[in-house]
């Protein structure tokens, strides 16, 4: 098969790494890719949001199957456009990607179908939003309705903070159109976890659980990022909890989307709070997580490609995936200053020495190859140093051993990835 992966992050490197290993894969392209992906795929300089460019390339190159990594092209309708052109594509249509593209849509769907989530209100008017906050009290959570690259959520501890967030989004247009409407919701207490399922429109196949580390600093302090590390499985998601998540959240969502004429195909990634009253949905993403995809791909024993094709073709029923029993953990190395301003173009050395360690794979995110062959940092999140181990503690030891072999003075990482699992 001739395959095209869309995206340029660590998630897409992990997808390319897994797809390139499939006996079904003859030719693999990635648009736009990065320096690590270039070891697995032919990178083509088309951005993930250039829908026309991607469709034209897929047609010219007679691509058999497209795997879309990030959310933006899904919400822009890339899968709809590819399918209309006769090219099979993995991922939801724009109508189904609204589960991630509009938090208000997601919350209303949950309300209509009894899916457990935080109590909420939807607003476009700042005064009405503030009145709702006064009525509910704090802490309270203010969320931009649309895509905001993980930055559109404010946990307000007091009224001033809530009002400032409402004004920033609704009055000052901080997130542009994505913040022209907001969801304000109840603050939930518990332990966070992520759960992934592969969905074919009607059937959901559970993949695995994971835990992300969104804050930039150790002990989960400082501003939020795209994710500074992850591990899988998450011990808080026991087998019984996974069954409950499937029965109360994932399966009702799949049924609801089909019933409302937006059948969901692709990866359903539930951000959950495990509360004393059971699992509650914080948000849906309609794609693999980054860096969660890196740990899932390391743990997957089966060939990924037939599973993605089965989801696209609507034949996941009776499909089975095999997983390694081991845990996987990834440590993200980012450019100093991220998620604020950071330098690009600094040199990274000794990746080969780090990758030579057993059970270690290094997934690239923002990297670029200089003409003279040196590896340069080209983004905020730059590397995902990933290891397998018999448990989270061992996987973590191996990952940090690899991190310590990498020579990149301008990079940094959190040293406490996996702390929740280790504290248990
Ligand atoms: P989201 O993008 O909706 O997942 O929100 C980003 C982060 O904000 C989550 O990972 C949680 O840590 C936190 N968060 C979001 N909604 C709530 C809530 N209702 N209660 C407590 N924390 C929340
Ligand atoms: N790591 C969180 C996300 O991909 O949304």
């Amino acid at each position: 098969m001739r395959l095209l992966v869309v995206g340029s992050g660590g998630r897409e490197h992990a997808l390319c790494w897994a797809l390139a290993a499939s006996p079904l894969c003859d030719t693999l392209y990635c648009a736009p890719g990065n320096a690590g992906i270039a070891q697995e795929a032919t990178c083509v300089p088309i951005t993930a949001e250039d829908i026309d460019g991607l469709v034209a390339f897929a047609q010219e190159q007679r691509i058999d199957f497209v795997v879309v990594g990030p959310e933006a092209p899904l919400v822009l309708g890339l899968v709809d456009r590819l399918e209309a052109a006769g090219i099979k594509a993995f991922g939801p249509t724009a109508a189904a990607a609204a589960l991630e593209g509009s938090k208000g849509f997601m919350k209303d769907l949950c309300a209509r179908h009894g899916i457990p989530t935080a109590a909420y209100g939807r607003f476009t008017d700042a005064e009405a939003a503030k009145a709702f906050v006064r009525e509910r009290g704090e802490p309270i959570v203010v969320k931009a309705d649309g895509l905001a690259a993980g930055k559109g959520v404010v946990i307000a501890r007091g009224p001033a903070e809530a009002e400032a967030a409402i004004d920033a989004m609704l009055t000052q247009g901080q997130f542009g159109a994505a913040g022209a409407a907001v969801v304000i919701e109840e603050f939930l207490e518990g332990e966070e976890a992520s759960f992934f399922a592969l969905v074919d429109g009607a059937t959901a196949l559970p993949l695995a659980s994971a835990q992300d580390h969104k804050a930039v600093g150790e002990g989960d302090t400082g501003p939020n990022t795209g994710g500074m590390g992850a591990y899988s499985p998450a011990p808080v998601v026991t087998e019984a909890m996974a069954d409950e998540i499937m029965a109360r959240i994932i399966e009702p969502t799949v049924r609801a989307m089909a019933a409302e004429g937006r059948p969901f195909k692709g990866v359903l990634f539930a951000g959950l709070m495990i509360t004393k009253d059971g699992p509650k949905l914080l948000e849906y993403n309609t794609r693999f997580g980054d860096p969660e995809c890196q740990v899932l791909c390391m743990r997957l024993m089966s060939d990924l490609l037939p599973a993605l094709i089965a989801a696209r073709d609507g034949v996941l029923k009776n499909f089975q995936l095999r997983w390694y029993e081991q845990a996987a953990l990834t440590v993200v190395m980012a450019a100093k200053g991220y998620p604020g301003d950071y330098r690009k173009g600094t040199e990274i050395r000794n990746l080969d020495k780090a990758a030579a360690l057993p059970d270690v794979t290094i997934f690239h995110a923002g990297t670029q190859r200089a003409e003279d062959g040196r590896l340069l940092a080209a983004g905020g999140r730059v590397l995902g140093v990933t290891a397998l181990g018999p448990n989270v503690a061992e996987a973590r030891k191996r990952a940090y051993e690899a991190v310590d072999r990498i020579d990149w003075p301008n990079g940094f990482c959190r040293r406490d990835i996996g702390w929740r699992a280790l504290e248990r």
Side-chain angles (χ1 to χ4, degrees):
M1 292 183 74
R2 299 171 60 76
L3 307 179
L4 169 64
V5 171
V6 176
S8 62
R11 164 182 49 213
E12 288 76 23
H13 189 181
L15 291 172
C16 286
W17 174 80
L19 295 172
S22 172
L24 296 173
C25 172
D26 292 318
T27 307
L28 178 61
Y29 291 101
C30 185
N34 62 41
I37 291 173
Q39 294 160 13
E40 311 283 356
T42 303
C43 294
V44 289
I46 308 171
T47 66
E49 274 113 86
D50 179 0
I51 307 299
D52 290 337
L54 291 167
V55 174
F57 177 82
Q59 285 180 308
E60 278 157 26
Q61 294 297 327
R62 302 179 322 279
I63 298 296
D64 298 303
F65 194 62
V66 179
V67 178
V68 185
E71 61 276 19
L74 296 171
V75 170
L76 290 172
L78 176 58
V79 168
D80 311 58
R81 287 278 310 278
L82 288 166
E83 292 280 349
I87 297 157
K88 289 189 179 193
F90 175 80
T93 60
L99 271 183
E100 174 166 4
S102 168
K103 291 194 188 280
F105 169 80
M106 180 280 269
K107 299 293 290 189
D108 286 353
L109 184 97
C110 288
R112 283 196 294 274
H113 297 271
I115 297 163
T117 183
Y120 73 107
R122 287 180 84 171
F123 303 93
T124 50
D125 176 70
E127 286 317 308
K130 289 176 192 173
F132 182 77
V133 169
R134 280 194 295 275
E135 188 189 305
R136 302 264 343 176
E138 298 85 17
I140 200 154
V141 185
V142 181
K143 300 184 173 184
D145 184 75
L147 295 183
K151 299 187 178 87
V153 175
V154 175
I155 306 208
R157 305 275 164 191
E161 244 181 295
E163 297 210 353
I166 291 166
D167 282 332
M169 292 179 200
L170 290 181
T171 315
Q172 291 142 24
Q174 189 190 3
F175 298 106
V182 298
V183 165
I184 301 184
E185 70 180 31
E186 169 198 10
F187 177 79
L188 296 176
E189 279 180 78
E191 183 169 343
E192 265 188 85
S194 301
F195 192 84
F196 295 83
L198 203 56
V199 182
D200 73 353
T203 298
L205 178 69
L207 295 175
S209 63
Q211 249 168 351
D212 191 10
H213 300 64
K214 285 191 173 125
V216 72
E218 276 152 35
D220 293 331
T221 53
N224 266 354
T225 68
M228 294 300 292
Y231 58 90
S232 174
V236 68
V237 183
T238 57
E239 234 170 89
M241 180 57 67
D243 290 344
E244 197 177 341
I245 292 166
M246 286 300 291
R248 294 183 60 197
I249 298 179
I250 302 286
E251 281 163 355
T253 301
V254 173
R255 284 195 296 271
M257 292 295 281
E260 297 200 2
R262 302 174 189 240
F264 185 92
K265 290 185 179 185
V267 174
L268 202 47
F269 162 5
L272 303 162
M273 191 69 87
I274 310 300
T275 73
K276 61 178 181 10
D277 304 321
K280 292 196 179 180
L281 182 66
L282 291 177
E283 65 162 352
Y284 266 133
N285 297 306
T286 58
R287 50 170 173 83
F288 282 108
D290 187 345
E292 292 90 334
C293 186
Q294 291 83 315
V295 287
L296 295 187
C297 285
M298 286 285 275
R299 290 189 57 218
L300 183 63
M301 187 191 293
S302 300
D303 187 349
L304 177 66
L305 182 53
L308 302 187
I309 295 171
R312 148 63 180 76
D313 287 346
V315 294
L316 270 185
K317 208 168 177 223
N318 303 324
F319 202 93
Q320 281 190 345
L321 285 173
R322 298 176 69 203
W323 298 85
Y324 292 109
E325 286 295 316
Q326 287 151 293
L329 182 141
T330 186
V331 176
V332 169
M333 296 186 78
K336 281 181 185 162
Y338 173 81
D341 292 336
Y342 54 82
R343 274 172 63 203
K344 287 188 184 176
T346 57
E347 186 178 355
I348 303 163
R349 290 196 204 86
N350 292 351
L351 275 200
D352 45 348
K353 288 203 182 101
L357 286 164
D359 291 323
V360 168
T361 303
I362 299 174
F363 296 112
H364 292 220
T367 65
Q368 187 183 314
R369 192 67 68 181
E371 275 181 22
D372 59 10
R374 288 176 310 140
L375 185 69
L376 306 178
R381 292 193 293 173
V382 174
L383 299 169
V385 181
T386 312
L388 275 177
N391 51 46
V392 173
E394 273 302 306
R396 164 170 149 143
K397 213 173 112 227
R398 288 176 192 171
Y400 281 116
E401 215 178 304
V403 164
D404 290 335
R405 287 191 178 188
I406 295 172
D407 176 14
W408 182 30
N410 197 53
F412 77 98
C413 66
R414 275 179 64 164
R415 303 289 317 187
D416 65 344
I417 301 304
W419 68 268
R420 272 198 188 80
L422 296 194
E423 261 188 14
R424 279 175 170 257

